[in-house]
């Protein structure tokens, strides 16, 4: 299957992986972002989704078979997250040409569907792990639910099919992304190697010793494309992870080994990266100048607050993939290999030394 695709958030971790896969598969790809960058084989579309008229104008000549929504805008409260992100999805779907397109819309959300939004993250009564799609919504306000509702309403109105995709923490390459554990850990390891500081796991004992999983951006892109072309997957929500499980007490030393440093022993004390890296901006700039790196601004590479939220959770988080497996999605990606591939790409792009 190949056709015309619109990838929304094309410059992000998920969007860039999705555009690359679509181009590889022979699709005509339009990549929408506020400030589109150059991506091989992608036709850039500049639009601010909070501007309804401007979005409609930008989409006038685009008639997509499939739309992939891989973006969101972080706000200061969940109420604002709901308002702004719902408006963005609504403006996008209202602005697309009518009446024949799109035929399928795929929305990327995440495990906060089961864990709750950042303001109530991992608190209250949560569904049992592993998380399964039929567990439904929590009784809390959540911008993921608002995004879904906008897709469902537009699908009922315009007659397209939809799919929702719920990754765990995503591993992938993007600069300026608000949720980027892989690059954050690469920068942190580089700083530890530079200064001789211990490479200390920043999170909770539950995350250190409990089972967890993650999602490679390429794995997520493969599921997005699979769901678009699989009739049985239409009008369904799916979890998406790599397919393996691990404990951070094992993964932490493997990451340390890649960077040629030792993993510090874990003593059970939570030491957030946001605190550990609070004063590192000037040091990173000096490293970038000395090593001729492409990005001297630490804040465009690392998102310590998000990594702290994931690694500081007080509960074990494991995701069930049975639903899509039963329907034929069998792709698999070892998570340690996903980290190693990312670190190699970061080095090749001169984002880390």
């Amino acid at each position: 299957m190949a056709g015309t695709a619109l990838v929304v958030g094309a410059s992000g971790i998920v969007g860039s992986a999705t555009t690359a896969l679509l181009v590889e598969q022979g699709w005509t790809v339009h990549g929408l972002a506020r400030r589109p960058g150059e991506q091989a084989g992608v036709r850039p579309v500049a639009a601010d989704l909070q501007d309804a008229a401007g979005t409609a104008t930008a989409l006038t000549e685009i008639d997509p078979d499939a739309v992939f929504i891989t973006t969101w805008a972080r706000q200061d409260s969940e109420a604002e997250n709901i308002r702004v992100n719902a408006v963005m999805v609504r403006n996008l779907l209202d602005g697309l040409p009518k009446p024949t397109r799109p035929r399928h819309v795929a929305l990327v959300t995440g495990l906060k569907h089961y864990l709750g939004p950042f303001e109530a993250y991992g608190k209250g009564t949560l569904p049992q792990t592993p998380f399964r799609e039929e567990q439904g919504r929590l009784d809390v306000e959540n911008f993921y639910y608002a995004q879904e509702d906008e897709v469902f309403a537009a699908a009922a109105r315009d007659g397209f099919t939809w799919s929702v995709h719920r990754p765990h923490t995503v591993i992938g390459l993007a600069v300026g992304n608000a949720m980027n554990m892989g690059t954050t850990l690469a920068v942190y390891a580089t700083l530890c190697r530079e200064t001789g500081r211990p490479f200390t796991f920043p999170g909770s004992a539950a995350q250190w010793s409990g089972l967890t999983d993650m999602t490679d951006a390429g794995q997520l892109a493969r599921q997005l494309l699979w769901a678009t072309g699989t009739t049985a997957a239409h009008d369904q929500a799916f979890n998406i992870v790599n397919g393996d499980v691990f404990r951070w007490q094992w993964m932490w030393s493997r990451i340390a080994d890649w960077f040629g440093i030792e993993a510090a022993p874990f003593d059970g004390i939570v030491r957030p990266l946001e605190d550990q890296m609070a004063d590192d901006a000037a040091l990173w700039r000096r490293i970038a100048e000395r090593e001729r790196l492409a990005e001297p601004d630490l804040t465009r590479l690392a998102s310590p607050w998000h990594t702290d939220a994931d690694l500081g959770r007080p509960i074990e988080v494991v995701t069930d993939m049975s639903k899509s497996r039963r329907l034929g999605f069998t792709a698999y990606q070892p998570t340690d290999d996903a980290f190693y591939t990312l670190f190699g790409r970061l080095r090749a792009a001169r984002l880390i030394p």
Side-chain angles (χ1 to χ4, degrees):
M1 174 186 178
T4 298
L6 173 65
V7 179
V8 183
S11 59
I13 291 177
V14 178
S16 58
T18 303
T19 59
L21 180 60
L22 288 165
V23 169
E24 178 185 306
Q25 296 293 318
W27 286 66
T28 299
V29 182
H30 301 270
L32 186 150
R34 281 181 297 173
R35 293 177 293 276
E38 291 188 12
Q39 295 173 283
V42 178
R43 304 177 184 187
V45 180
D48 179 353
L49 294 181
Q50 296 185 54
D51 177 359
T55 298
T57 298
L59 297 175
T60 300
E61 302 300 323
I62 301 173
D63 195 21
D65 297 287
V67 177
F68 302 92
I69 305 174
T70 71
T71 190
W72 71 291
R74 186 189 181 202
Q75 306 299 310
D76 291 334
S77 69
E78 191 59 20
E80 277 298 286
N81 277 334
I82 290 168
R83 184 187 68 81
V84 169
N85 289 282
V87 163
M88 290 169 61
V89 174
R90 188 184 317 138
N91 289 344
L92 169 72
L93 298 178
D94 286 353
L96 287 166
K98 302 294 186 297
T100 59
R101 295 290 192 273
R103 293 174 179 168
H104 186 82
V105 172
L107 170 68
V108 177
T109 60
L111 293 196
K112 287 190 291 297
H113 182 93
Y114 309 106
L115 288 162
F118 288 119
E119 291 179 5
Y121 200 45
K123 299 175 182 177
T125 302
L126 300 175
Q128 288 186 331
T129 56
F131 295 140
R132 302 176 189 274
E133 295 91 343
E134 63 268 22
Q135 289 167 321
R137 295 180 175 184
L138 300 175
D139 188 22
V140 295
E141 296 296 314
N142 190 323
F143 82 88
Y144 282 169
Y145 306 160
Q147 288 181 307
E148 286 183 343
D149 288 342
E150 293 294 338
V151 171
F152 301 159
R157 178 192 68 203
D158 297 335
F160 57 77
T161 59
W162 55 266
S163 56
V164 175
H165 304 261
R166 299 170 186 160
H168 199 167
T169 304
V170 178
I171 303 170
L173 177 61
V175 176
N177 191 273
M179 301 192 299
N180 195 337
M181 180 190 284
T183 304
T184 299
L185 294 181
V187 169
Y188 175 55
T190 300
L191 290 166
C192 288
R193 186 178 61 197
E194 175 78 12
T195 62
R197 290 174 356 205
F199 186 59
T200 302
F201 183 73
S204 68
Q207 291 303 302
W208 178 254
S209 59
L211 290 173
T212 193
D213 47 30
M214 294 185 73
T215 307
D216 180 75
Q219 172 83 336
L220 174 50
R222 287 188 287 273
Q223 194 194 59
L224 289 168
L225 191 54
W226 165 81
T228 298
T230 302
T231 301
H234 292 169
D235 303 336
Q236 300 283 334
F238 297 102
N239 294 331
I240 172 62
V241 287
N242 289 334
D244 62 347
V245 295
F246 64 91
R247 303 180 199 276
W248 276 107
Q249 62 188 16
W250 174 81
M251 185 68 76
W252 198 249
S253 61
R254 294 180 73 79
I255 293 174
D257 288 346
W258 198 93
F259 285 93
I261 57 179
E262 289 190 14
F266 181 65
D267 60 8
I269 298 173
V270 176
R271 294 181 171 85
L273 288 180
E274 199 160 24
D275 295 339
Q276 291 193 55
M277 300 173 68
D279 300 320
D280 284 336
L283 172 58
W284 183 260
R285 189 169 293 277
R286 290 196 297 273
I287 294 171
E289 291 173 355
R290 185 189 72 211
E291 303 291 339
R292 298 181 181 179
L293 301 182
E295 181 51 73
D297 184 350
L298 181 64
T299 64
R300 286 183 49 76
L301 294 175
S303 49
W305 68 272
H306 178 260
T307 298
D308 288 339
D310 275 1
L311 297 184
R313 290 182 298 218
I315 58 172
E316 180 178 270
V317 177
V318 185
T319 314
D320 182 72
M321 282 277 289
S322 298
K323 186 177 181 180
S324 60
R325 296 292 193 227
R326 288 189 178 105
L327 294 177
F329 181 75
T330 58
Y332 170 78
Q333 170 64 62
T335 300
D336 50 349
D337 287 351
F339 272 122
Y340 301 156
T341 298
L342 171 63
F343 299 155
R345 292 179 67 196
L346 290 169
R347 185 164 285 172
R350 302 302 303 157
L351 291 168
I352 61 171

